[in-house]
Amino acid sequence: MRALCEDADVGCSFKVIPLARAYAELKQGSVDALITLDLGQFDDCCSASDWHSEWSAGLFSTNTYKDIPSNEREILGQELIVVNGMRSPYSFLPNMDALAAENKIKLFKARDVETAVLMFAKDRVGLMWGGEDFRWYLRRLTPGKPYAYRPLFRKNVVLWVHQQKADTLEVLNQAYHRLVKSGVIARNGLLVPSTMNGRYKEAALN
């Protein structure tokens, strides 16, 4: 997004806030744009970018890949941590809260990704639901920890822009396609590795 804003000559400021608050602020027009899944939840207030990046979510486990549950029946009796506010776990377990209330699973809800990863890293839970981007937190917080990941949900990530800022969306769309053409953004919607290394937060931490 920083690369897009610079190319489009748009003055952008960024903040990271809890999902529920981010959704509410976008709908209220308190923020102009939000990067999140294309679930159609903002069709009444906003427009989505004409570009996307692919994203998956699923279960992380300290066991082997074959031991990771692939359906609701296989997860019964196990411990699971999710990030409070994430909607993607319900795509796999639509009755997740009911299963927890009935003690069919032991469910922990962490306040953020970092807390969830730390609980998982300390072996407080055997399974963690998260996006493939959780790998970055695992590498940063628990380097060398073995784990397996089974993707169980796939969806596109897009930029939602409030309809009051339609002109901004148009210039960002144009900037995106320029950066793809110039080789800064790859066809998967992410910065190419050589550019990512200089821009991504991980590089700044090293």
Side-chain angles (χ1 to χ4, degrees):
M1 281 308 304
R2 293 186 188 280
L4 286 177
C5 290
E6 290 171 10
D7 185 273
D9 196 23
V10 174
C12 299
S13 60
F14 300 87
K15 61 180 178 179
V16 179
I17 57 178
L19 283 170
R21 179 180 161 195
Y23 287 6
E25 289 199 7
L26 180 65
K27 288 196 172 189
Q28 294 164 3
S30 302
V31 297
D32 299 325
L34 172 66
I35 301 175
T36 191
L37 297 180
D38 183 7
L39 298 175
Q41 69 269 54
F42 301 116
D43 286 338
D44 59 338
C45 69
C46 309
S47 301
S49 56
D50 63 10
W51 43 270
H52 67 270
S53 61
E54 296 178 356
W55 180 83
S56 74
L59 291 172
F60 289 83
S61 173
T62 53
N63 293 322
T64 62
Y65 178 87
K66 67 180 181 61
D67 293 323
I68 299 177
S70 60
N71 55 58
E72 181 179 291
R73 177 182 54 81
E74 293 176 353
I75 204 172
L76 297 180
Q78 300 204 49
E79 296 181 345
L80 170 67
I81 184 168
V82 301
V83 175
N84 192 31
M86 278 190 85
R87 303 307 303 168
S88 58
Y90 294 97
S91 66
F92 173 62
L93 289 176
N95 302 311
M96 182 174 70
D97 294 323
L99 292 173
E102 296 166 4
N103 294 318
K104 293 182 178 179
I105 62 171
K106 190 169 184 179
L107 181 65
F108 300 88
K109 291 188 176 181
R111 67 176 183 269
D112 53 35
V113 177
E114 188 166 331
T115 302
V117 170
L118 285 172
M119 289 180 67
F120 177 72
K122 294 177 180 178
D123 298 321
R124 291 182 57 186
V125 289
L127 295 170
M128 175 178 67
W129 179 275
E132 58 188 88
D133 46 300
F134 279 41
R135 295 178 186 272
W136 179 80
Y137 288 89
L138 285 164
R139 288 198 304 269
R140 190 189 73 170
L141 299 173
T142 60
K145 181 176 179 62
Y147 66 87
Y149 169 67
R150 181 191 288 271
L152 295 163
F153 174 77
R154 296 184 185 277
K155 200 70 179 176
N156 290 331
V157 172
V158 298
L159 177 71
W160 289 96
V161 178
H162 201 278
Q163 291 168 357
Q164 297 173 349
K165 296 289 183 176
D167 292 345
T168 298
L169 178 59
E170 179 58 27
V171 297
L172 289 174
N173 282 338
Q174 293 174 6
Y176 177 89
H177 295 296
R178 284 195 299 270
L179 292 180
V180 170
K181 188 173 181 180
S182 63
V184 174
I185 294 178
R187 295 295 173 180
N188 63 1
L190 301 177
L191 291 173
V192 296
S194 58
T195 305
M196 180 76 82
N197 289 339
R199 284 185 170 270
Y200 194 45
K201 186 177 180 182
E202 185 175 20
L205 290 172
N206 290 337

